[in-house]
Amino acid sequence: MEKKKVLIVDDQNGIRILLMEVFGSEGYETFQAANGKIALEIVEKEPPDLVLLDMKIPGMDGLEILKHLKTMNPDIKVIMMTAYGELDMIKEATELGALMHFTKPFDIDEMRIAVNKQLRSDEASHFG
């Protein structure tokens, strides 16, 4: 069975490494991008099943990246990562199709469970 692909988009290297380790050990194929341009290039070449997207990224911000992602692939699952107090942006992200958000510093286990739930619910529907 093909591995599910998770793309991590965050300008903080430490967060990308942490999330890649966590989701790699969950059996997903992980990709990382430090900015929107790289993220969109990866989505073109290796369409991910789910994107963990930071809201505050220099250059193209999370909302802009989200709009592009949804244009390229409306079915792509996106979970936002936000700093405290970005509620207006979260509302807009939800309207643009983000599934949910985690506020930094997030609980890595909660995020792992949420991602597994999103990606494994697909499998259940295929074999249901």
Side-chain angles (χ1 to χ4, degrees):
M1 201 171 107
E2 218 179 288
K3 278 185 171 186
K4 297 270 183 176
K5 295 174 183 161
V6 176
L7 168 61
I8 297 144
V9 187
D10 198 305
D11 58 332
Q12 289 174 284
N13 191 36
I15 289 179
R16 293 199 311 273
I17 289 168
L18 170 71
L19 293 174
M20 284 183 73
E21 272 179 22
V22 169
F23 294 113
S25 67
E26 287 291 306
Y28 299 118
E29 194 176 341
T30 56
F31 299 86
Q32 61 166 328
N35 60 48
K37 186 174 172 292
I38 298 168
L40 297 174
E41 282 168 13
I42 292 171
V43 171
E44 257 174 51
K45 289 192 201 92
E46 293 278 356
D49 297 284
L50 185 138
V51 181
L52 292 167
L53 178 56
D54 187 35
M55 194 73 90
K56 283 254 162 70
I57 295 181
M60 201 189 300
D61 73 12
L63 289 174
E64 264 181 89
I65 297 169
L66 177 61
K67 282 177 197 161
H68 285 295
L69 289 174
K70 287 291 185 179
T71 309
M72 291 163 82
N73 176 359
D75 296 331
I76 208 162
K77 296 184 172 194
V78 182
I79 294 177
M80 304 301 293
M81 299 181 286
T82 64
Y84 182 71
E86 293 171 352
L87 286 172
D88 49 335
M89 289 175 85
I90 291 164
K91 185 173 176 289
E92 195 177 337
T94 310
E95 284 163 6
L96 289 168
L99 296 167
M100 61 197 304
H101 73 279
F102 283 91
T103 307
K104 291 178 175 178
F106 41 76
D107 178 320
I108 198 73
D109 276 330
E110 276 179 27
M111 187 179 269
R112 191 173 51 81
I113 291 163
V115 168
N116 284 337
K117 209 158 131 187
Q118 291 299 335
L119 292 179
R120 297 194 173 146
S121 65
D122 283 3
E123 289 171 19
S125 63
H126 289 309
F127 304 115

